[in-house]
Amino acid sequence: MRTPIIAGNWKMNTTYDEAMDLVEELVDGLEGRDVEEIDIVLCPPALWLFPAAEYVEDTGLLLGAQNCHATDRGAFTGEISAAMLTDQCSYVIVGHSERRQHFGETDEIVAGKVAAALRHGLRPIVCVGEGLAERDAGATDAVIARQVSAAFAPVEDGHVAECVVAYEPIWAIGSGRAADGVEANRVAGLIRGTLGEQFGAARAAQIRIQYGGSVTDANIAEFIGQPEIDGALVGGASLKAETFIQLCTIAAGKAGA
Ligand code: PEP
C-alpha cells in the first residue's frame, strides 16, 4: 500500500512574512482535517526552510527543498548541497522542468542530484515530463522512459522505494490546462513499467508516482482516484492556503475511501 503524497512547490514566491503566514495558515487549517493518511510536503524557497521547520515541528507536515546540487561541498557559488538540507528537509525536488529548461539541467545532472539526495537521506521527488512539441510528435513515451531510466541509473535497489516520481507534462504546468486523468494514469503506468524493467515489478510497485500540472482542489480527485497515481506535485495552488488545505483534504478522503 503506497501512502499518497501531496507536495506544494512554492517556486520563487513569497517574502519572509508571506511565507510564515502561509505556513501558519496551513498548519492551523490542516489541523483536525483528518489528513494523517497522506504525506503533505511543503517546498518553500530554501531561505524559508529554517523558520518554516519551527512551525511544522510536531504537526506531521514535512518539508522539502526545490533543488540541490549533486556535489556535497565546494566552489559552486550560490548552490545548496543535499548535505546542507538534511536537518530541515525530508524531501527534495530534482529535475523540475523549469530547472531543465532555464538552468540547463541534463538527464545526467538530474541523476547526480538523485544520488546526492539519497546519499544524505533525503527522498528525491524526481520530475519528468514531455514538452508540447514532443507530445505532438508522439514522443511522450520515449521522452518519459529516457528521463526515468537516466534519473534512476545511480539508484541502488535498497533506495528505490524512497524515491517519488512526479509526472509533469510541461504544457500543463502553470497553464491552467491539466492533463486528462486517464492519460496521466497511462503515463504513470509507463513510468512504473520502466522502473520495473530496472528493478523488478515488486520494487516498482513501491514507488509513489505523482501527477503535476495545474492541479487544484477542483481536479485533484480526478488524479488521486487513478490506480497508478499516488498524489500530486502542486505549484500555483499550493500558494493559496484555503485551496491547498481543501486539496489535501480531498486527497486524504480518497486515500481513506
Ligand atoms: C509545478 O510547478 O510543479 C507545477 C505543477 O505547477 P502548477 O501546479 O502551477 O501547474
Side-chain angles (χ1 to χ4, degrees), residues 142-159:
V143 169
I144 300 302
R146 189 203 76 222
Q147 291 178 342
V148 170
S149 298
F152 279 78
V155 178
E156 289 168 13
D157 184 64
H159 288 299

Side-chain angles (χ1 to χ4, degrees), residues 2 148-149 152 155-161 189-209 228:
R2 300 184 293 263
V148 170
S149 298
F152 279 78
V155 178
E156 289 168 13
D157 184 64
H159 288 299
V160 176
L190 171 90
I191 292 169
R192 208 176 295 289
T194 302
L195 291 166
E197 283 170 24
Q198 190 175 344
F199 301 105
R203 234 348 147 219
Q206 297 176 325
I207 297 177
R208 292 178 294 174
I209 300 176
E228 295 289 356

Side-chain angles (χ1 to χ4, degrees), residues 202-217:
R203 234 348 147 219
Q206 297 176 325
I207 297 177
R208 292 178 294 174
I209 300 176
Q210 299 173 308
Y211 165 75
S214 297
V215 174
T216 67
D217 53 343

Side-chain angles (χ1 to χ4, degrees), residues 93-97 100 110 125-129 147 164 166 168 233:
I93 298 170
V94 295
H96 192 282
S97 60
R100 294 180 191 255
V110 173
I125 298 176
V126 184
C127 299
V128 299
Q147 291 178 342
V164 177
E168 298 207 306
L233 181 54

Side-chain angles (χ1 to χ4, degrees), residues 9-11 13 96-98 101-102 130 167-179 211-216 219 233-240:
N9 174 15
W10 296 10
K11 311 194 188 192
N13 292 300
H96 192 282
S97 60
E98 287 155 14
Q101 205 176 337
H102 304 306
E130 82 285 2
Y167 168 54
E168 298 207 306
I170 297 170
W171 46 270
I173 296 178
S175 66
R177 213 171 53 131
Y211 165 75
S214 297
V215 174
T216 67
N219 62 16
L233 181 54
V234 184
S238 71
L239 290 165
K240 300 171 203 132

